[in-house]
Amino acid sequence: MGRSPRKDLVAGLTVAIVALPLALGFGVASGAGAEAGLATAVVAGALAAVFGGSNLQVSGPTGAMTVVLVPIVHRYGTSGVLTVGLIAGLLLVALALGGAGRFMAYVPAPVVEGFTLGIAGVIGLQQVPAALGVTKGDAENVVAVAGQALADFARHPHPAAPAVALAVAAVMLVGARLRPGIPFSLLAVAAATAVADLAHLDVATIGHLPAGLPLPSLGFLDPGAVPHLVTAALAVAALAALESLMSATAADAMSASERHDSDRELFGQGVANLVAPLFGGVAATGAIARTAVNVRSGAVSRLAALVHAAVLAVVVFAAAPLVEGIPLAALAGVLIATAVRMVEVASLRALARSGRGEAAVLALTAAATLAFDLVTAVVVGLAVAGILALRQVARSARLQQVPLHDGLAPADHHEEERALLAEHIVAYRIDGPVFFAAAHRFLLQLAETTDVKAVILRLSHVTAIDSTGALALGDAIGKLERRGILVLAAGVPDGHRRTLDALGVLDTLQRQGRVFARTPDAIARARTELRTTGVLAEATVRKGTDR
């Protein structure tokens, strides 16, 4: 299965050491319990490795998913969160079969960075009650939960839990800077567990864990509750797809030759989320941090992720009593350090410097993540990014007066231009997209053209046109003609004729023979019509004088 089994075995063992405290911590943080986190890491980690589209991806419970699961557990209980994971698995499989993986490329970088920053903030705030050793409040918003925990701690302070949490977080953050290759998270948790036991610290621990995984069962499924859980499942599926494809893309960037299959990755995550709930596991996704450890540890195939799942399975079946004494404050410290490390300060600074628009998208996405939920945050980020992109594209569209004979020599060109201007013939070339964001501006510019007898619209450089833009173009043509200005069109791209013909924008010009493939032909027709009109007008004047 692997081209270098030894490398994969070492990488898998390394990832398992890093993943163990994270799986426990995310399980506890989600509200489903440490055993749910371990079951997710084992079952989903193995299935996503086999069926997924990346050779280097490591899947399991993640901080981002925990953020989504907490309110679901709070509202619907453990059975509800397992049902949500099952439905999300079906949705992911459907997305994979529908070829939705390719759309990941359209998520802008500021949205991804803002999303990550917001998740880091939510994860950190979620850990405040456990880090302070107080009971978590009933509020759903993480800011309110953290504030309530601080108030409770201020009324009844006890230093043991915050000391453990801060010590674990400090060891992880400082250790990662000094010796990045050492799994300080596991070492810190082990040390905190030993100190808490030897010193008889008054801190809450994980407590009893079942030895092994439960038999697969659908006993949690309540068909009557499914309609109420679909919205939550959509959020979980969207997040699983987004985070998994982000993680797989990051793995590709860190590897010299690997390229993931987006649709197969979605399928693998769908299968993992379909099966994990049967064993008591919560929703899973590709884990960026664990995937990065996997790649940097030398993994070359899926075997590494399978080894990671197998090692965690050994812990579940053989070492549950050792895990039971881990202080919850220690796991809170692990997750706080993880949240801090998620924030890429250099990347945030670069995006903030790149423009006010990017900075606004980033800030709004992060704020929406803290204030609402992750799916709302992504929708807000994409909407704002889309509006700014449309504004930028609309600005790139130009209406400008241009030379009518680009192929002439400079001297001939100037003579020709002077002759045409003397005859009051001008050409306007429309560059870029003509769509709803720019249509009004084009209408005003064209309709306000003055001191001309003929306008030639050169459309060969129009890159895109929608119905609003086409109708605005038609309105401008109509206003010019009502003012007695002769209008001709040249170089209409074949790709835009369907829109223009469907709306009848050029129908009148075509009936009058004023639509041409080349600009010189339009010039000749304009001169002919103006001369004919001039002769008729002159004859009419003479006839009136004779009378």
Side-chain angles (χ1 to χ4, degrees):
M1 185 170 186
R3 292 167 290 177
S4 181
R6 180 178 296 178
K7 287 184 178 181
D8 285 328
L9 289 171
V10 172
L13 179 60
T14 305
V15 176
I17 292 171
V18 173
L20 177 58
L22 292 175
L24 293 169
F26 289 136
V28 172
S30 72
E35 62 273 18
L38 283 174
T40 306
V42 173
V43 178
L47 291 173
V50 173
F51 295 102
S54 171
N55 290 325
L56 304 175
Q57 178 95 286
V58 178
S59 300
T62 64
M65 189 60 74
T66 299
V67 172
V68 175
L69 297 181
V70 168
I72 298 173
V73 174
H74 181 77
R75 190 173 301 174
Y76 301 106
T78 303
S79 62
V81 84
L82 297 180
T83 303
V84 164
L86 189 72
I87 301 171
L90 289 171
L91 293 172
L92 286 167
V93 170
L95 287 174
L97 296 178
R102 64 184 180 275
F103 293 110
M104 173 59 197
Y106 297 106
V107 180
V111 175
V112 174
E113 291 293 340
F115 177 74
T116 304
L117 178 61
I119 288 171
V122 172
I123 293 171
L125 291 170
Q126 280 180 341
Q127 307 318 307
V128 172
L132 297 177
V134 301
T135 303
K136 183 179 177 181
D138 295 330
E140 288 191 17
N141 184 270
V142 289
V143 177
V145 169
Q148 186 177 338
L150 288 169
D152 292 344
F153 181 79
R155 284 193 295 269
H156 305 287
H158 41 91
V164 169
L166 288 174
V168 170
V171 168
M172 284 182 61
L173 294 173
V174 175
R177 281 185 170 276
L178 300 177
R179 296 290 181 88
I182 297 176
F184 282 101
S185 59
L186 186 64
L187 295 177
V189 169
T193 304
V195 170
D197 183 50
L198 293 173
H200 303 290
L201 297 180
D202 183 19
V203 291
T205 62
I206 288 177
H208 174 70
L209 283 179
L213 296 174
L215 293 174
S217 170
L218 279 171
F220 62 85
L221 184 61
D222 177 8
V226 169
H228 304 289
L229 297 171
V230 169
T231 303
L234 285 169
V236 169
L239 177 59
L242 180 66
E243 191 172 13
S244 296
L245 295 179
M246 281 171 51
S247 179
T249 302
D252 291 347
M254 288 184 285
S255 172
S257 59
E258 291 295 332
R259 289 296 176 269
H260 74 279
D261 182 330
S262 296
D263 291 325
R264 184 178 170 183
E265 182 60 29
L266 291 180
F267 181 79
Q269 296 297 333
V271 171
N273 281 287
L274 269 172
V275 178
L278 306 183
F279 294 90
V282 294
T285 179
I288 296 176
R290 275 156 275 176
T291 298
V293 171
N294 192 41
V295 176
R296 289 168 183 158
S297 299
V300 292
S301 78
R302 300 165 190 267
L303 179 61
L306 286 172
V307 170
H308 139 269
V311 172
L312 293 178
V314 171
V315 173
V316 171
F317 283 96
L322 297 176
V323 174
E324 293 172 357
I326 295 176
L328 295 179
L331 295 180
V334 170
L335 299 188
I336 289 171
T338 301
V340 171
R341 292 170 64 179
M342 285 175 67
V343 180
E344 296 285 348
V345 177
S347 179
L348 294 176
R349 284 177 178 168
L351 281 174
R353 286 197 301 265
S354 66
R356 286 181 294 180
E358 283 76 7
V361 171
L362 191 154
L364 284 172
T365 306
T369 304
L370 287 168
F372 304 108
D373 56 67
L374 299 187
V375 175
T376 302
V378 172
V379 171
V380 168
L382 289 175
V384 175
I387 291 169
L388 292 174
L390 286 175
R391 181 167 171 259
Q392 193 69 22
V393 171
R395 285 180 170 180
S396 71
R398 298 187 307 277
L399 177 71
Q400 56 182 335
Q401 186 176 345
V402 295
L404 288 162
H405 281 286
D406 296 333
L408 293 175
D412 295 334
H413 160 74
H414 292 308
E415 290 298 325
E416 180 72 8
E417 286 301 305
R418 278 197 291 270
L420 289 168
L421 288 174
E423 298 174 65
H424 301 283
I425 300 173
V426 296
Y428 287 101
R429 189 177 74 195
I430 301 175
D431 293 336
V434 181
F435 66 123
F436 68 91
H440 183 64
R441 183 161 55 87
F442 279 128
L443 175 62
L444 290 177
Q445 284 183 266
L446 273 176
E448 291 176 1
T449 300
T450 58
D451 196 30
V452 297
K453 294 179 180 178
V455 170
I456 298 172
L457 299 177
R458 301 178 66 182
L459 306 177
S460 58
H461 286 69
V462 173
T463 56
I465 189 166
D466 70 351
S467 58
T468 304
L471 289 172
L473 184 63
D475 287 344
I477 292 172
K479 287 190 176 185
L480 290 171
E481 290 185 324
R482 284 192 293 274
R483 289 168 50 200
I485 297 173
L486 179 68
V487 181
L488 305 95
V492 182
D494 292 337
H496 305 330
R497 279 194 175 274
R498 181 177 178 180
T499 301
L500 295 170
D501 291 345
L503 297 171
V505 172
L506 301 179
D507 285 358
T508 301
L509 298 185
Q510 286 176 332
R511 284 195 300 270
Q512 295 170 347
R514 296 178 182 172
V515 179
F516 300 90
R518 299 172 60 251
T519 302
D521 297 333
I523 295 172
R525 178 60 181 268
R527 281 175 160 165
T528 300
E529 291 208 24
L530 289 177
R531 286 168 184 165
T532 301
T533 303
V535 169
L536 290 174
E538 187 177 333
T540 302
V541 171
R542 282 201 303 269
K543 186 175 181 181
T545 304
D546 292 343
R547 289 178 181 177

